[in-house]
Amino acid sequence: MRRKPQDLTLSQAGRAKFVIYARVSSKEQEKEGFSIPAQLKPLREYSKEKRFAVTREFVDVETAKQSGRSGFQEMVKYLKDNPDLKGILVEKTDRLYRNFKDYVILEELGVEIHLVKEGEVISKDSRSHQKFIHGIKVLMAKNYVDNLSEETRKGQTEKADQGIYPSYAPLGYLNVECDKEKVIEPDPERAPQVRQLFEWYATGQYSLSDLVHKTAEAGFTFRRTGARISKSTVARLLGDPIYHGDFEWDGKMYRGKHAPIVSKELWLRVQNVLAERERPRPKRREFAFTGLLKCGHCGCSLTAEIKKGRYVYYHCTGHKGKCPEPYIREEDLGRQLGETLKAVRIDEDVLEWLVEALRTSHDEEKAHHDQMIASLRRSYDRIQDRLDKMYVDKLDGNITEEFYEKKRAEWVAEQDRIMANLDAHQNANRNYLDKGVELLELAHKAYSLYVTQTPHEQRRLLDCVLSNCTYSNGQVTFTYRKPFDSLAVTNAAYQREKAISPQKDDLLDIWLPR
Ligand SMILES: [Zn+2]
């Protein structure tokens, strides 16, 4: 008998409600075990097992170029609109988040997250250690996206080597397909306008702002958005070698195959005028800690100035009236900010132990790659075996020289493909852990590093670890960024316990979730 929808609702009444989320990149989609159905199946089974009611499923398929995540955004909206929902079921951390913003959005929603494959549940009540490891995994998810872009970049560099501009056509050019290859060619409408810009500027009679007015008068706009041409666009355009036939890609110059819009001679004349007219003005001095702190009295930013020609002092801008906070010397402020790093300074033995814990928690991930590596090695050896046998056949005169060469080329190409794949899996194994270890080492070394650094370097380090810094009554207050917040809490508990009973056997267990 077919069940009516109402029955279903009734049978689900009283159960905790969840949504399912799955994500895959188009590249992975082709590989076994990564497809959307392969992700959804265990999630559905898990919800059945736990007797959850799944009210909706959200799915994203994305490419390295397009980062649109309509499914994710829809899900966030749906969760907001339905506060009775308990949480999200998802395969692994790297399926759910692509960056810290996603992480913060979901944390603010306060929903429970079941990482089904990792066997973890993250909620408001999670132990700080668990949240900490989770935070590291979020960082790694980001790394996963970086790797994806890396793959795209490789293909693009190959195109650049062939003289083909490998990205979106700049203003004045169009992306077109030619012999199944994406290339650029002059935009019949805009190329003459670009050339006109070069000709105007080469006369030396116009400033960049003049050119902005002239383009507006001429109705010269971007093709896709219809947006006007800004001053920075004009500056960039005039300095771009692509218009005379060369292009820069990934820090290297390439000789392009595309049709130039201006002659090299005109382009060089424009460069001379640019150098002459836009001579750099002396730079304003930038202070290391400005923009980092707000005044605790008035909420204004802290700014800095030099006194007696060499001492840097920080103080409230006082935009909202006179501020009672006295000035503070850069050295004093730096020292206070540095103190905050002491709380995340983990002991050497804790570092070693945590790295080990991280390694164990990723054993499953590693097992998958190891399995792939073993299977790829077997395929490689099988082909090698065939090659050897065929060589004997050739010597014995069983096959022709021609047949041998043809087959050999095929099989060697296959071996090359396998080797590339093998490398990818070996790198995945390494990358996965390296990020987490890097983060732990940063926590371990942060303070000792800080005291040897220049204020500008110190600022970079502080930006990694702190947020919401304020300064009032001579005191810095702040919050730690994730995952340093949970690290600091657990570390404090550990240090307290260690001070009381340094010989305790299970001292390190404080870092474990209970
Ligand atoms: Zn103030």
Side-chain angles (χ1 to χ4, degrees):
M1 202 185 84
R2 272 177 64 190
R3 285 208 295 176
K4 276 179 273 167
Q6 294 97 295
D7 295 342
L8 202 77
T9 325
L10 269 182
S11 73
Q12 295 195 336
R15 296 201 207 164
K17 288 190 205 162
F18 278 84
V19 296
I20 278 179
Y21 180 75
R23 178 171 71 92
V24 77
S25 69
S26 61
K27 219 175 146 66
E28 289 173 334
Q29 182 83 302
E30 300 153 15
K31 280 191 268 174
E32 210 181 323
F34 275 108
S35 67
I36 290 285
Q39 273 181 55
L40 290 179
K41 195 166 160 260
L43 295 176
R44 288 176 188 150
E45 280 165 5
Y46 177 86
S47 75
K48 215 181 266 172
E49 200 180 292
K50 296 267 177 188
R51 300 190 50 78
F52 292 156
V54 171
T55 60
R56 266 184 79 175
E57 293 180 349
F58 298 88
V59 164
D60 276 314
V61 176
E62 61 184 9
T63 61
K65 270 190 213 149
Q66 271 180 326
S67 59
R69 304 182 70 194
S70 50
F72 184 86
Q73 280 150 6
E74 247 178 76
M75 175 177 73
V76 169
K77 188 178 178 307
Y78 182 71
L79 287 167
K80 269 186 194 154
D81 294 345
N82 298 280
D84 59 324
L85 286 168
K86 189 130 195 266
I88 304 168
L89 308 181
V90 66
E91 187 192 31
K92 293 192 300 173
T93 317
D94 69 4
R95 298 294 118 189
L96 185 57
Y97 315 102
R98 301 201 338 157
N99 48 45
F100 264 111
K101 199 175 150 223
D102 292 351
Y103 179 48
V104 172
I105 288 173
L106 291 182
E107 195 172 73
E108 277 169 358
L109 280 174
V111 292
E112 222 171 75
I113 294 162
H114 291 238
L115 303 158
V116 171
K117 197 168 172 189
E118 289 162 331
E120 266 187 272
V121 177
I122 305 296
S123 70
K124 289 194 293 287
D125 313 320
S126 294
R127 296 263 163 197
S128 56
H129 163 80
Q130 204 180 1
K131 279 189 179 167
F132 167 64
I133 292 283
H134 186 60
I136 291 179
K137 286 185 181 164
V138 174
L139 275 189
M140 291 180 185
K142 164 81 177 59
N143 186 42
Y144 151 85
V145 178
D146 292 346
N147 286 345
L148 200 63
S149 345
E150 179 87 12
E151 285 301 311
T152 320
R153 221 165 23 238
K154 254 186 244 158
Q156 286 172 322
T157 307
E158 271 167 37
K159 274 186 93 171
D161 282 333
Q162 298 164 37
I164 299 167
Y165 185 67
S167 188
Y168 293 111
L171 192 62
Y173 282 99
L174 291 174
N175 287 106
V176 291
E177 204 153 302
C178 174
D179 293 335
K180 287 184 184 162
E181 185 100 67
K182 287 220 175 73
V183 298
I184 59 167
E185 68 174 33
D187 177 343
E189 208 178 303
R190 282 166 183 75
Q193 293 178 310
V194 169
R195 192 179 311 121
Q196 178 75 75
L197 267 181
F198 275 90
E199 280 162 4
W200 276 329
Y201 198 75
T203 64
Q205 292 171 29
Y206 305 106
S207 69
L208 293 177
S209 305
D210 293 339
L211 290 191
V212 172
H213 287 296
K214 286 177 96 59
T215 55
E217 274 170 20
F220 183 18
T221 55
F222 280 97
R223 173 174 282 272
R224 233 179 268 267
T225 58
R228 292 233 195 128
I229 313 290
S230 69
K231 191 173 158 187
S232 60
T233 306
V234 174
R236 184 157 30 85
L237 191 148
L238 292 174
D240 195 337
I242 197 160
Y243 297 107
H244 76 74
D246 291 348
F247 64 87
E248 195 186 322
W249 180 254
D250 216 6
K252 241 176 92 181
M253 286 299 285
Y254 293 88
R255 186 80 263 243
K257 273 189 192 159
H258 60 273
I261 289 178
V262 300
S263 68
K264 178 119 189 214
E265 188 268 328
L266 174 59
W267 190 83
L268 286 172
R269 249 164 52 216
V270 164
Q271 304 317 301
N272 284 336
V273 181
L274 272 173
E276 186 59 33
R277 287 191 76 112
E278 311 295 320
R279 219 175 288 145
R281 273 153 248 141
K283 238 187 172 176
R284 247 182 58 209
R285 181 183 163 135
E286 292 204 19
F287 296 99
F289 301 132
T290 46
L292 179 67
L293 297 126
K294 286 211 178 336
C295 170
H297 299 286
C298 13
C300 300
S301 298
L302 240 57
T303 178
E305 62 185 85
I306 302 179
K307 295 238 170 190
K308 292 182 195 155
R310 57 197 184 111
Y311 300 114
V312 179
Y313 280 88
Y314 286 78
H315 60 88
C316 172
T317 55
H319 282 328
K320 294 182 185 162
K322 197 167 159 37
C323 179
E325 189 64 40
Y327 285 31
I328 179 171
R329 280 269 297 273
E330 183 162 78
E331 289 79 357
D332 295 334
L333 189 59
R335 208 171 300 126
Q336 266 205 47
L337 285 165
E339 288 297 307
T340 65
L341 298 176
K342 283 187 178 167
V344 295
R345 184 176 52 181
I346 48 176
D347 295 353
E348 185 81 41
D349 53 342
V350 173
L351 172 70
E352 278 168 20
W353 188 84
L354 275 177
V355 168
E356 199 52 52
L358 205 56
R359 211 159 265 161
T360 326
S361 88
H362 292 141
D363 268 356
E364 194 191 334
E365 190 74 22
K366 190 172 175 300
H368 162 73
H369 291 296
D370 285 346
Q371 209 184 334
M372 291 304 291
I373 288 168
S375 138
L376 286 166
R377 285 222 175 96
R378 279 196 300 276
S379 308
Y380 185 95
D381 292 344
R382 230 175 2 248
I383 295 171
Q384 190 57 48
D385 202 38
R386 259 189 268 160
L387 278 167
D388 294 344
K389 287 203 177 98
M390 184 172 68
Y391 183 70
V392 176
D393 277 345
K394 190 189 74 152
L395 290 184
D396 292 347
N398 294 334
I399 53 173
T400 64
E401 181 81 37
E402 195 192 2
F403 178 84
Y404 172 80
E405 278 309 326
K406 186 170 154 278
K407 266 302 183 207
R408 202 190 70 92
E410 255 172 48
W411 288 346
V412 168
E414 178 66 29
Q415 279 186 326
D416 287 347
R417 265 197 299 279
I418 291 172
M419 278 318 261
N421 218 330
L422 207 73
D423 274 354
H425 281 284
Q426 262 152 358
N427 282 334
N429 258 351
R430 273 194 293 274
N431 282 342
Y432 209 68
L433 225 94
D434 290 350
K435 273 285 146 180
V437 172
E438 230 170 69
L439 201 84
L440 289 168
E441 277 179 348
L442 176 65
H444 173 61
K445 280 192 302 213
Y447 183 72
S448 54
L449 209 63
Y450 185 88
V451 293
T452 64
Q453 286 178 329
T454 68
H456 280 92
E457 289 167 331
Q458 291 177 336
R459 168 63 185 269
R460 270 205 299 277
L461 189 56
L462 293 169
D463 280 338
C464 275
V465 180
L466 304 182
S467 66
N468 303 325
C469 298
T470 59
Y471 178 74
S472 59
N473 307 320
Q475 287 292 321
V476 172
T477 47
F478 61 93
T479 47
Y480 288 112
R481 284 187 193 281
K482 290 169 199 313
F484 296 103
D485 53 347
S486 15
L487 177 76
V489 172
T490 315
N491 198 28
Y494 172 79
Q495 297 296 347
R496 257 196 317 274
E497 191 65 25
K498 191 178 161 187
I500 301 166
S501 42
Q503 304 303 328
K504 210 171 152 215
D505 284 344
D506 54 356
L507 201 52
L508 281 166
D509 286 354
I510 292 172
W511 294 90
L512 274 180
R514 258 159 291 176

